[in-house]
Amino acid sequence: MAEPKADVLVLGAGMVGVSAALQLQGKGRDVILVDKHENAGEETSYGNAGLIESASVFPYMFPRDIGQIFNYALNRSPQAYYRFSELPDFLPWLLRYYLASSPKRAMHSAMAELPLIRRSLIEHEALIAEAGAGELLRRTGWIKLFRAQASLAAAASEAERVKQYGIPSEILDPRAIAAREPNLSGDFAGAVYWPTPGFIADPGGLAKAYASLFLRKGGRFVTADARTLAQEGSGWRVNGASAREVVVALGPWSDLVFRPLGYSIPLGVKRGYHLHLKASGNAVLNHPVLDSDLGYLLAPMNRGIRLTTGVEFARRDAPPRPIQIEQALPRARALFPLGEPVDAQPWMGARPCLPDMLPVIGKAPRHSGLWFDFGHQHHGLTLGPVTGRLLAEMMTDTEPFTDPRPYAVERFG
């Protein structure tokens, strides 16, 4: 059987890769999607809070408060965890992350990401409608709970700050929290309700729905090892397929391809965990709810109530250590009546992060036909379709909807 050939190979069938493949297909390109799994959405895209975060103007930067940093360093914060013995592995990246999080540079990242955030739900809506996956999108928004008055005041100030970018919010007192979520228990100072973000009740299922749409429109899916990528003549080849151009959209595994090609890009990972549980009795959770001061989130997924954790700083391929799930579970049970686990064990994934919390989107400077689309940090689900659109516009010499320069790989030298 002859090896399939196309205009473009897209390496990685997570939300970012599948979205890029669809957007390129929409521009008339013949695309082959390549992944080590037989199905799309089996890795990072499977495990997240399910939020299309169209209200998240300011990315997750390294804290500048000394007390907060001190708590992180001593593993006293539920938002982050690490093992001291592994600190040398990720400390250089962590220092770059800290430097990129200065007020001036953080604002630069926020303004660079804003055009992507603003179009994130719009691009998803178009693909969801075409894929016939409307049942996966819920218009509930989400709730950020606070137990301390100080943290509520800081969040309310932040919510007021982002209103200048057209992002609405509502401050909820304990009575308003109970009206929206009558099955929650706890002593709350208040909450911020974000009404505009979309919620996906099965993130991995949405990636699969997009992949099915890609196949129905004539795309092809090849199971292969992206590490076999090689430049051959005027094109590119992996074991099983070849094309004139290739897109690296492998998320936290992108370095397995770009490093052998000679690119030094500071790609780090933030690991995270989730566990699905049944709701007890007739209890219902109406929104994704972040218990901000205690560092976990509950989301009403199709599979059950998904309990997600904060960040673990560790080697990407280190064995799972679901310590944060173990710590969060009794707190989550006190917040909402959770029953037995649905999953046999917690799921673990890795978020691909660059120090400035912006993705790399665009042409590789030293190789003809090589393109990058990775590093979407906490927003892979959110940004997949919109960064896929920008990439497709760049690859087809179409006027891009926003200036792509902030996402260029050259910013790292």
Side-chain angles (χ1 to χ4, degrees), residues 10-22 31 33 45 247 249-250 373 384:
V10 175
L11 307 183
M15 180 55 68
V16 172
V18 172
S19 297
L22 272 172
V31 183
L33 193 56
S45 296
V247 176
L250 292 163
D373 187 11

Side-chain angles (χ1 to χ4, degrees), residues 3-229:
E3 182 177 89
K5 297 182 179 180
D7 298 327
V8 185
L9 300 176
V10 175
L11 307 183
M15 180 55 68
V16 172
V18 172
S19 297
L22 272 172
Q23 299 284 25
L24 283 162
Q25 195 178 54
K27 293 288 187 184
R29 294 297 178 92
D30 180 23
V31 183
I32 294 175
L33 193 56
V34 179
D35 199 90
K36 65 181 179 181
H37 297 288
E38 293 183 356
N39 296 302
E42 292 292 308
E43 293 285 356
T44 304
S45 296
Y46 174 75
N48 54 66
L51 295 171
I52 301 175
E53 256 295 39
S54 55
S56 186
V57 174
F58 298 100
Y60 295 93
M61 307 307 291
F62 197 97
R64 310 299 284 187
D65 179 80
I66 296 299
Q68 196 174 1
I69 294 173
F70 186 72
N71 286 333
Y72 282 5
L74 296 180
N75 271 332
R76 291 178 178 173
S77 171
Q79 285 83 9
Y81 173 80
Y82 75 102
R83 286 192 176 183
F84 187 78
S85 61
E86 296 179 354
L87 186 60
D89 293 326
F90 56 84
L91 183 58
W93 184 89
L94 208 60
L95 290 173
R96 294 189 71 159
Y97 183 24
Y98 174 81
L99 293 174
S101 298
S102 68
K104 181 178 179 180
R105 295 179 67 181
M107 179 58 74
H108 169 79
S109 291
M111 293 302 98
E113 190 176 52
L114 185 58
L116 305 178
I117 289 291
R118 280 180 167 158
R119 289 203 60 87
S120 59
L121 184 54
I122 295 169
E123 298 296 334
H124 265 292
E125 287 173 328
L127 293 183
I128 286 171
E130 193 176 2
E135 76 282 355
L136 295 179
L137 175 61
R138 300 178 186 173
R139 301 289 191 160
T140 60
W142 67 289
I143 295 173
K144 192 172 185 178
L145 291 173
F146 297 92
R147 297 171 182 269
Q149 287 290 344
S151 54
L152 174 63
S157 176
E158 186 76 357
E160 192 65 30
R161 182 185 180 199
V162 302
K163 284 183 179 178
Q164 65 182 300
Y165 303 106
I167 308 297
S169 62
E170 181 181 345
I171 306 301
L172 307 181
D173 62 18
R175 181 175 297 181
I177 295 171
R180 289 188 173 275
E181 292 291 353
N183 293 121
L184 296 186
S185 301
D187 185 14
F188 310 119
V192 179
Y193 170 56
W194 299 96
T196 55
F199 171 61
I200 301 299
D202 181 358
L206 184 63
K208 289 175 173 59
Y210 287 174
S212 294
L213 173 62
F214 169 74
L215 294 174
R216 290 198 303 270
K217 296 175 68 175
R220 288 166 288 171
F221 193 108
V222 170
T223 304
D225 187 345
R227 292 174 297 181
T228 64
L229 181 70

Side-chain angles (χ1 to χ4, degrees), residues 261-285:
L261 293 173
Y263 293 90
S264 180
I265 304 169
L267 181 67
V269 299
K270 297 180 186 179
R271 304 206 312 182
Y273 298 80
H274 80 229
L275 180 70
H276 292 103
L277 302 106
K278 297 177 181 178
S280 292
N282 296 321
V284 174
L285 188 67

Side-chain angles (χ1 to χ4, degrees), residues 330-391:
R331 299 165 183 166
R333 290 190 185 279
L335 176 69
F336 182 83
L338 294 168
E340 293 301 309
V342 176
D343 303 324
Q345 59 187 12
W347 175 92
M348 184 198 77
R351 306 175 184 97
C353 300
L354 294 153
D356 57 6
M357 293 294 107
L358 293 173
V360 166
I361 309 166
K363 193 177 187 306
R366 298 194 299 275
H367 291 80
S368 176
L370 177 64
W371 298 80
F372 294 143
D373 187 11
F374 60 82
H376 291 62
Q377 38 110 2
H378 300 255
H379 289 157
L381 172 63
T382 295
L383 298 178
V386 70
T387 58
R389 171 182 168 170
L390 180 60
L391 180 75

